Amino acid sequence: MRQKWQYWNTVSRKWLWIIVIIGLIASIPVIYDRVKTESTSKTVELVFDYRDLVDVAAYQVHPKDYINEKLTELKNAGVSTMAMFESTLDEFRKSRRIMIYNSLDVANMTGKVLPENENFTYLLFTSEENEKALSPLIQDTFRRLDIPVKPWTYEDKQGLILETPVENANLKPMAPDPITMSDLVDRGFNIMPRLGDALPYDEQSVAQLMETFEQFGVKRILFDGDKVKGYNDNEELRSLSSFAELMNQHGIGLAAIENLKKPQNGFSTLSYLTDYNVVRLYSLSESDANLDIEVISDRFTLATKDRNIRMLYLNAAPARSSLKATITDPLENLINALGEEGKAVERMEANGFQIGQAEPFKVHETPGQRYYKAVAVAGSVAMIALMISYFIPILTLPAFVLGMLGSAGLYVLRPSLMEQGLALLVAISAPTIAMVLAVRRINAVQLRTPDLTVKNRVTQALFLFVRTSLLSLLAVPFMIALLNNITYALVIEQFRGVGLLHLAPIALVAFYVLFYRKALSMAFVRKMLKEPITLLWVVAAGIIGVVGYYYLSRTGNSGSVTPLEMAIRTFLEDTFGVRPRNKEFLLGHPLFIVGAFIALKYRNAIYILIIATIAQLSMVDTFAHIHTPVHLSLIRGLLGLGLGLIVGLIAIVVWQVLEGCWKKWSPLLRR
């Protein structure tokens, strides 16, 4: 009975490979949909923070002239949109639209005695135009907050009395300044409001606000803070649904800030309710605005080309310079980065983009896509079962059956968990299978023909390199099919388990090599467990831990690089247009080629392939960055393979020279 069970598990491998191939074929229409979707948005929008411009202008001799001058320069540099925060009294003061006083100030101005029990805010409008535009806005805001408002006049100037301290009044957010919005639109700028959720949600006032935005041609909103408009009152008022309905009614979408430590609360819900009318935004911080022009230009170029960013947000801030003994600002640096010196706009246009108002991706979906994805799910489960079969053959069929049942159950309960779980497991399985088969092939060739010529060893190594890489890349179509959802492209949902993907194949290949070579056995394990722990063991464990930590720290978007690596990356980017991964073409691929070449002669050199696994899993991981266009990931992987092949062949030559020197000189060293 047991022999028959083992027989069926062994035979099932052939059928599992057939299911994998069928799954790969079914993935093709889904891949086409992904590529088609990625080609639908080619406009990049440059946005400048208008509040920052006002803050910088406050330190100039002629603030209004400075603002006019810089707006013209920014417009000429390609900036088409101004971000407008919700207004505050302090912002109106900086814009010279109002003057603010407290009760003590007014007592001094009027020559009256300061009231003992009064701490109010007094404001005067600096012109009749400002009074007409802003007085209704201010009164409506403070009355909704149950703060009494009364008219006030001083020396023929109209004003208001707000029965709250100045410090409190300055914190209350209001709708963006309508005078500034009108002026900016007249200058040819688009407006992108930045809204917070500090005040209670009021559907009527929000409806009026959205109507005003539509009149000013607003197409996109960026939220300020850690939550979207309406999030605080959603449980009681269902305010997110109300706000989304208003956005849809007025044709307004969202902007998603890249690399936030935590997604803004309610953003995913609002994205869903607006049918993912979302554009990804890269924000250049106030400190980064002072970086070298070339660095800023590189960041903008790579963000748009490599990460599907379609909005670039520029910040600026005044700074005290003791060297120049003056207040400085980065506006000229930013304008130069965009224009003639940094040529960021020119470089983006050379990559096929145009500067204008960003549009969301239009999702392309082939009829019957869900059925294609279902077949891809079966192919993914088959791939995972195949990986298990090379370690525990008796579990091959149970792994496939349980995998299919588990996938069906998760699809009903939590589809996104099913997609991400299968994508992670298939991403681990393909490079693991590829490396295991490479180890088996090397072992078989050694047993069959132990004395291969150098030429045959090179041929075998290159054949293995190509076959192993192709097998590893079998995971890619499944990952694309499983994660083909606009939420991943917009990074509203993210592929999880990158750390596990970077460790599991290495550990599994190491485990296979050790057991396959019979270096480990239960007796050996028991013996090792009884051995006393020595200082050497502690040092070795420490070194392995440090290397492992450094390796993991280099994964993902937060990994840091050395200046030398940055120089290499820049060179590769400038030379090829797409940067291959260093750990692929400088480490993993060359190690695989030279390791296979050496292992075909020296049995224990097979351990080199454990480290070489890094490149195989790295190729797969490249496609786990769903926000990167598919064709760029493919080019990056192929460049890594091509350059890795060249470096690997050079490594073989170096090895042959070193081996020849050793054979010639080692007898002399033994004398």
Side-chain angles (χ1 to χ4, degrees):
M1 182 68 180
R2 182 174 180 179
Q3 289 180 344
K4 184 176 289 188
W5 178 252
Q6 289 177 340
Y7 168 78
W8 282 111
N9 277 282
T10 302
V11 170
S12 66
R13 275 188 189 169
K14 178 179 71 174
W15 295 104
L16 290 176
W17 277 114
I18 292 173
I19 295 173
V20 167
I21 293 170
I22 294 172
L24 291 171
I25 296 171
S27 300
I28 294 174
V30 188
I31 296 172
Y32 172 79
D33 288 343
R34 163 91 179 267
V35 174
K36 192 76 173 176
T37 298
E38 290 174 343
S39 66
T40 58
S41 176
K42 289 294 183 180
T43 306
V44 176
E45 188 168 356
L46 299 176
V47 185
F48 192 85
D49 191 317
Y50 185 79
R51 177 181 285 181
D52 288 352
L53 181 59
V54 173
D55 289 342
V56 172
Y59 291 89
Q60 308 302 317
V61 177
H62 302 292
K64 190 171 183 178
D65 291 345
Y66 179 85
I67 289 176
N68 290 335
E69 175 189 343
K70 293 305 176 184
L71 284 175
T72 301
E73 291 181 7
L74 287 166
K75 183 72 175 175
N76 292 336
V79 174
S80 60
T81 302
M82 285 288 153
M84 295 282 297
F85 280 85
E86 290 176 300
S87 299
T88 62
L89 293 181
D90 187 58
E91 187 173 326
F92 289 147
R93 178 187 62 79
K94 288 181 179 179
S95 300
R96 310 297 175 97
R97 306 206 187 283
I98 64 172
M99 300 172 68
I100 302 175
Y101 308 97
N102 58 27
S103 295
L104 176 60
D105 295 330
V106 173
N108 290 330
M109 290 161 51
T110 58
K112 296 181 180 179
V113 177
L114 175 68
E116 293 184 1
N117 195 31
E118 177 189 306
N119 188 12
F120 293 166
T121 299
Y122 293 75
L123 59 90
L124 287 176
F125 298 101
T126 56
S127 70
E128 185 177 341
E129 178 191 7
N130 292 335
E131 189 270 335
K132 184 178 180 180
L134 300 183
S135 182
L137 174 63
I138 296 172
Q139 291 188 61
D140 178 66
T141 298
F142 283 87
R143 282 171 178 162
R144 281 195 297 110
L145 296 172
D146 295 325
I147 296 174
V149 182
K150 294 185 293 186
W152 179 53
T153 304
Y154 179 74
E155 294 185 351
D156 297 328
K157 293 289 185 183
Q158 297 299 315
L160 297 171
I161 301 174
L162 311 176
E163 295 189 8
T164 187
V166 171
E167 294 77 11
N168 186 49
N170 278 333
L171 294 176
K172 306 305 180 187
M174 292 169 273
D177 182 358
I179 301 174
T180 300
M181 284 197 293
S182 180
D183 177 59
L184 290 172
V185 169
D186 290 342
R187 292 172 184 266
F189 287 101
N190 303 313
I191 304 297
M192 183 172 70
R194 295 203 63 174
L195 303 182
D197 196 37
L199 300 183
Y201 185 84
D202 181 79
E203 186 171 6
Q204 183 178 353
S205 64
V206 173
Q208 293 175 351
L209 182 63
M210 299 300 283
E211 186 174 339
T212 301
F213 287 163
E214 185 178 14
Q215 292 172 358
F216 282 113
V218 170
K219 293 297 181 184
R220 210 152 297 284
I221 289 173
L222 180 64
F223 294 107
D224 183 33
D226 62 354
K227 57 181 73 72
V228 304
K229 186 76 174 177
Y231 177 79
N232 286 332
D233 300 309
N234 188 53
E235 288 189 12
E236 181 181 351
L237 303 177
R238 299 191 67 231
S239 45
L240 289 182
S241 296
S242 167
F243 188 51
E245 185 177 343
L246 289 170
M247 293 182 68
N248 293 332
Q249 179 182 334
H250 295 282
I252 297 175
L254 309 171
I257 304 174
E258 182 192 42
N259 285 339
L260 288 177
K261 292 183 179 178
K262 179 185 175 185
Q264 291 171 311
N265 292 322
F267 191 90
S268 60
T269 301
L270 206 55
S271 300
Y272 172 76
L273 294 172
T274 56
D275 197 23
Y276 296 105
N277 184 2
V278 180
V279 169
R280 296 189 72 220
L281 176 147
Y282 168 72
S283 178
L284 186 75
S285 68
E286 295 172 350
S287 59
D288 286 347
N290 292 290
L291 292 170
D292 289 343
I293 289 171
E294 292 78 10
V295 174
I296 295 174
S297 178
D298 286 344
R299 288 194 180 187
F300 288 169
T301 305
L302 293 176
T304 52
K305 184 183 69 173
D306 285 10
R307 304 199 300 278
N308 281 336
I309 299 292
R310 295 297 179 264
M311 299 187 84
L312 301 172
Y313 192 101
L314 286 69
N315 291 279
R320 300 178 186 275
S321 174
S322 57
L323 294 176
K324 297 181 180 180
T326 187
I327 302 296
T328 62
D329 67 76
L331 265 77
E332 184 177 353
N333 194 57
L334 291 172
I335 291 168
N336 288 336
L338 294 172
E340 290 298 323
E341 295 186 38
K343 299 183 178 180
V345 170
E346 183 179 327
R347 293 173 65 186
M348 287 186 284
E349 289 176 339
N351 287 332
F353 298 102
Q354 60 186 26
I355 305 302
Q357 201 159 25
E359 294 289 339
F361 289 105
K362 294 180 176 62
V363 178
H364 188 275
E365 186 168 325
T366 300
Q369 187 186 109
R370 66 171 64 184
Y371 302 110
Y372 295 129
K373 292 184 76 170
V375 178
V377 166
S380 301
V381 174
M383 177 74 77
I384 297 164
L386 279 169
M387 181 194 70
I388 293 172
S389 75
Y390 288 107
F391 292 88
I392 314 174
I394 199 171
L395 295 182
T396 305
L397 281 173
F400 178 72
V401 173
L402 291 175
M404 291 300 296
L405 292 174
S407 298
L410 281 175
Y411 178 77
V412 174
L413 299 174
R414 292 188 62 184
S416 63
L417 181 60
M418 183 272 290
E419 294 167 349
Q420 293 191 41
L422 279 182
L424 175 60
L425 290 175
V426 80
I428 292 171
S429 298
T432 302
I433 292 171
M435 292 301 295
V436 165
L437 292 177
V439 171
R440 291 167 68 126
R441 171 76 178 188
I442 290 172
N443 184 69
V445 172
Q446 284 177 338
L447 293 175
R448 188 173 64 248
T449 51
D451 297 321
L452 286 174
T453 64
V454 171
K455 180 181 178 180
N456 287 337
R457 286 162 61 200
V458 171
T459 302
Q460 286 288 340
L462 295 182
F463 167 77
L464 276 175
F465 174 63
V466 173
R467 190 186 76 166
T468 303
S469 299
L470 289 175
L471 287 173
S472 294
L473 289 172
L474 290 183
V476 172
F478 293 122
M479 293 174 65
I480 294 174
L482 290 166
L483 303 178
N484 183 43
N485 191 302
I486 192 63
T487 57
Y488 294 105
L490 297 172
V491 199
I492 294 171
E493 287 191 83
Q494 294 193 57
F495 176 69
R496 306 291 179 182
V498 173
L500 184 60
L501 172 57
H502 280 79
L503 281 180
I506 299 173
L508 289 170
V509 172
F511 182 82
Y512 187 87
V513 169
L514 289 170
F515 273 98
Y516 191 76
R517 296 291 169 145
K518 298 182 180 179
L520 289 178
S521 64
M522 291 309 297
F524 179 78
V525 171
R526 283 194 293 268
K527 180 182 177 182
M528 292 296 294
L529 291 175
K530 293 178 181 179
E531 287 287 330
I533 298 175
T534 64
L535 179 61
L536 181 62
W537 282 40
V538 175
V539 172
I543 292 173
I544 293 172
V546 169
V547 171
Y549 176 80
Y550 176 74
Y551 169 65
L552 285 178
S553 71
R554 298 297 308 275
T555 65
N557 295 325
S558 59
S560 58
V561 296
T562 64
L564 175 61
E565 288 175 294
M566 184 58 68
I568 295 174
R569 288 185 175 191
T570 303
F571 171 77
L572 293 170
E573 187 74 36
D574 293 341
T575 303
F576 299 107
V578 177
R579 176 184 59 81
R581 288 186 162 184
N582 293 348
K583 58 188 171 186
E584 291 178 23
F585 81 93
L586 289 178
L587 178 64
H589 291 327
L591 275 180
F592 183 98
I593 294 170
V594 75
F597 174 79
I598 299 171
L600 287 166
K601 182 176 181 181
Y602 302 102
R603 183 177 176 83
N604 288 331
I606 198 72
Y607 295 105
I608 297 174
L609 295 190
I610 296 173
I611 304 174
T613 307
I614 290 173
Q616 301 299 315
L617 65 88
S618 177
M619 288 194 301
V620 175
D621 174 63
T622 296
F623 290 87
H625 297 75
I626 311 300
H627 55 271
T628 299
V630 172
H631 75 278
L632 285 182
S633 296
L634 180 60
I635 294 171
R636 177 168 288 129
L638 293 177
L639 276 174
L641 286 167
L643 293 175
L645 174 61
I646 295 171
V647 177
L649 291 174
I650 294 172
I652 288 177
V653 173
V654 172
W655 171 262
Q656 285 296 98
V657 172
L658 292 176
E659 188 180 37
C661 291
W662 175 256
K663 288 180 179 179
K664 181 176 180 180
W665 296 105
S666 59
L668 298 176
L669 295 175
R670 293 175 187 150
R671 293 179 181 176

